[in-house]
Every structure is written in structure tokens, then in C-alpha cells.
Amino acid sequence: MNKLMLPDFQIRQRDFLLEISRAITAQLDLSEVLKRVLHASVIMLAGRSGLIALRAEDDIFYVRALINIPTETVPKLNEHFFELSQALSQKNTIENFNQHLRSITQVIDANLQQAIAMPLIFAGVPLGIMIVFRSYQTHVDGNDMQILQSFADQAAIAVHNAQMYERIETERKKLAAILQYGADGMMILEPDLTIGRFNRALERITAWKADEAIGLLHDEVIQWKKRDGVDIQTALANGWGSKISPTEDENPLYVEGELLRHDGLTISVGITYAPLLNAEGKLTNVIAHIRDITNFKRAQEMQNTFISVISHELKTPVAIIKGYAATLSRPDARWDKKTIQENLGVIEEEADRLNALIQNLLTASKLQAQGELSLTKTEVLIDELAELAVERFKSQTDKHKFKLKFQSPYPMIYADETRLRQVIDNLLSNAVKYSPDGGIIEVGGYATATTATFYVRDMGVGLSEEDQRHIFDRFYRVDSKLSSKTQGSGLGLYLSKAIVQAHGGTIEVKSAPNRGSTFFVHLPRV
Ligand code: ADP
């Protein structure tokens, strides 16, 4: 068969091209379009068979469409294309290319005489190669090349479209996954603020199910109990999201506050709204990003309380010390010995209080930084430590009577003495502070074969069950008239517990409102 025998090949070429471009615009899948291109090329060049190989992301060519070539040969052909790809990347000579082409032709059929190859190029980027094989050898003229070129161009467009579509599809899937599985709440709003998308994290944050929320208006789902900043409705009404200059980026809108969840609970959230504008600068969507900031708020509140409590705690003893010292040093006054002694006593007491507070602060920051406390253990006699502490506290109060009740002999334990003194001081100081009417404060201890226990008992205001659950928390102070006029940082019991736990022990309280409290510390003997 000779191509010149085709009388109307130009008309046929045009018809083929039309058919192919229709296939491309009909968005048939790529394999189908490649097959049609190949079919048209083989017929128009009066060939026997043909193939199209496409360049993948690794820059290697792989066979993607075949006509009249057995599929079993594909692995072998791919091997040759692999070598060909490498030869091309090394900018080898045309002879080298022709040699590869000959080998490829031989793999397909030993009777094939000629191979006409045409690269598929889109915008200067090589996307693949099309080869038509003939069973006879004849001169390849400009006309042949022009025909093949016209089909190759069509194939290149289809490949480019397919690759673009694939890239868009991958991006779309990535974005959908980020939206759906991201740790933060996300929703996509229409310009009228109807909810279009609602992710899982947002279901958790708001207690709304995505199915229920989608289709509702933003305000039906996002109900503020308290809010800082302009709400999205007002912002839109004021022109937010309607960019005038196309070069300007619209600033995201941030709103923070207490959100009323679907189940009636409240939660602290921060919402960032970002407008999505089209080429004309018109709002097409609003992307809302919702973050649960409850923990952050709580930590912030704690920090604020901490700073105000600590500064108050530090200021009070310093003011007292300064006042007494100033009185004593007045040049115009002559104080009797007793007054001087009393005043110095107060100064010493306040200095002790300051010292204890600083000690607690240092321990707290160490605990915060290291997660646990390091101990320097030596042999410790708790009953002696308690006795010394009682002596110190005795001088600070007239209202209380102290009683020591340690079993004798009381076992010596292996522990960090400084830290245990801190625990005893904290418990004794609390016993004094929270029994404002005075009474007996008993410090005692007993032991079993494995445990050494000591306790501090007072006859003070006691604690409700609810408060007993929280008093060992950091910065927790019972909300009462007494606590508000009593100095304290809410750190003493928290640190005492950390110290006892670092020793492998436990601390517990037995108490009832107005029935006094007893704090027990159990420490392992070994
Ligand atoms: P603070 O510095 O406020 O005393 P603590 O951590 O030592 O901090 O104690 C936490 C809270 O537990 C106190 O504010 C107080 O309300 C309560 N508390 C502690 N000890 C006693 C006690 N012996 N009797 C009654 N309430 C107590």
C-alpha cells in the first residue's frame, strides 16, 4: 500500500484532526485520546503499527498507547525507552537516538523496515514521543512529517491537559484531606455566609454534626456568648472582603471569645476568617479557621493570677519589714529593749515568710522546667525536723497550742531534708493560717514496716469534699472570705505533693467544713 494512492488524504487528515480535538474537548480519558491520535497517524502515514510513550515524573519514557503491537512486548520496549531516556538526558547524538529507534523497531517485529518518530512537545516541554512503524522502506518527506506533527501537537495538548487535571486533582485531594483531618476547626462559607463545608475538628469543637451545620447560616452555628472584635456580618457590611485594588491582599479577620456550643457548653475559641476573591476582586468564599483556645486562656488566667498573687505576697512582708525597720531607726525616738526585741521579732518572722515564699517559687520553676524534682538524700529524722519547725511557728502565734505526738522510736528515713522541711513548713503554716480562731495543732507520726507517716492536724475551718479534690492543684486557693484575707500563693500544697511524690510517697487530707483538717504524708522507709 502506498500513501500516495489515498486520493483525499488532506481531507482525511482534517477529519482526523477534528475528531481528535472533539475527543480532547469531550474530556475523554487520556488513553482514549492517545489511541485516536495514534490510529489517525498510522493510517495517514500508511504505517503498520505505532506507539506513544510518555515521559513520567522521573523523566523516563513509558509506553502508553499501542496499535498493532503485542502487549507482551511492552516490558521489553520500556527497557529500551529507559535507555533512550538516559541517552536523551545526556544529550547524545542523533545517531545514538536512531540506534535506539532501530532496536525498538526490532523488538516489535523483525519485518518492520522504517520508524518515523515525532516528539510530543507542549510549550517547549517534551512530554513524550510518537512513533509510526512501516513494513517498507520509503522516503520520508516533509508531508509525512507535517501530518505526524499535526497529530503529535494534538496529543501533546491532550497530555498536557491530562497532567494539569491530575495535578489539580492531587492538589484538591490534598486540600480536602487538610480540611477534613486538620487538628483545627475549618469551614468554608458562601458569600451570603451559608456554611458549605464543615470539618471533623469543628464537629468536636462546636458539638455540631457536619450534616446539620452545612446549609445553615454562619450565625446559626457560631453563637457567641462573649466576643472580642467585630463579628463577620458587621465586617462584611463594612466592606471587608471586597477588595478594591487587585494588588492589595485582604487582611484576615480575627475574632475571639466564648462560643456557645450545640450542647449548651461554652468554649473559648479564636476564629480567623480569610476572604477568597476571584480575579475581579469579588468575594467567592470565606474560609474560617477555628481554634480551641480554652487551655491557652486557662494558662493565661493562671499566669495573671500567679503574677498578682505573687507580687502581693512579696510586697506585704517587704512593706512590713521596711515599716518596722524605719520605726526602729527613727533618730528622734528612744525605744525600750522590749519594744526593740518585739519589732526585731516581727522583722525576722516576715523575713522567714519571704524566704519560704522564695523557696516555693524556686521549687515551682524547677518543677516546671524539669518536670520532676531532683533530690539530695541523706538520713533524716522527721520527728526532729517537726520539733524544730514547731519551735519556730510557736513564736508566731499566741492563739494556737502545739502538740507533738511521734511514736518513739520513730524510724530514720532516707530523704531530702531541705525539701521535707519545706513540706512540714507548708503544712504547719497552713494549719496556723486556716484556723483563725486558734486551737490545738498536732504534729505526729507513726510507722509500719514499710512506711513512715507524719501528719499535721488543726481545728480550723476545714475543707469541703469539692475543695479537697483541688487543693493540691497549682495556684488553687479555696474561694472564701478567709482565703481572701489570708496570704497565700496556692503553691504550698502543690509543691508539697510534688516533693512527696518525688520521694515515692503520697499525701492526703482528711477534713470536713468547720471540723478541722489533717494532712497525712506517707513516705517509703526504704
Ligand atoms: P496557700 O498559699 O493559699 O495557702 P496552699 O497550696 O498551701 O496555698 O493551699 C491551697 C489552699 O488549700 C489554701 O488556699 C486553702 O484554701 C486550702 N487549705 C490548705 N491548708 C488548709 C487547712 N489546713 N485547712 C483548711 N484549708 C486549707
Side-chain angles (χ1 to χ4, degrees), residues 107-169:
V107 170
I108 296 169
D109 186 344
N111 295 322
L112 290 176
Q113 301 291 319
Q114 197 170 38
I116 312 159
M118 180 62 72
L120 310 187
I121 295 177
F122 187 89
V125 182
L127 302 176
I129 186 166
M130 172 157 74
I131 312 174
V132 172
F133 302 94
R134 281 174 173 162
S135 51
Y136 56 93
Q137 182 94 35
T138 181
H139 173 67
V140 179
D141 59 22
N143 207 13
D144 285 339
M145 293 317 267
Q146 189 258 324
I147 292 171
L148 203 56
Q149 176 86 61
S150 64
F151 291 134
D153 287 348
Q154 295 291 323
I157 293 171
V159 171
H160 173 76
N161 284 355
Q163 285 177 345
M164 240 182 25
Y165 181 73
E166 200 177 293
R167 231 171 279 146
I168 292 169
E169 190 59 9

Side-chain angles (χ1 to χ4, degrees), residues 23 27 48 93 105 194 204 248 293 305 329 377 425 440 493 512 514 522:
Q27 292 189 324
R48 238 310 268 292
T93 56
T105 314
T194 311
R204 273 198 305 276
E248 243 176 85
I293 54 169
T305 327
S329 62
K377 289 188 180 175
D425 282 359
I440 296 166
L493 289 179
N514 301 318
H522 311 283

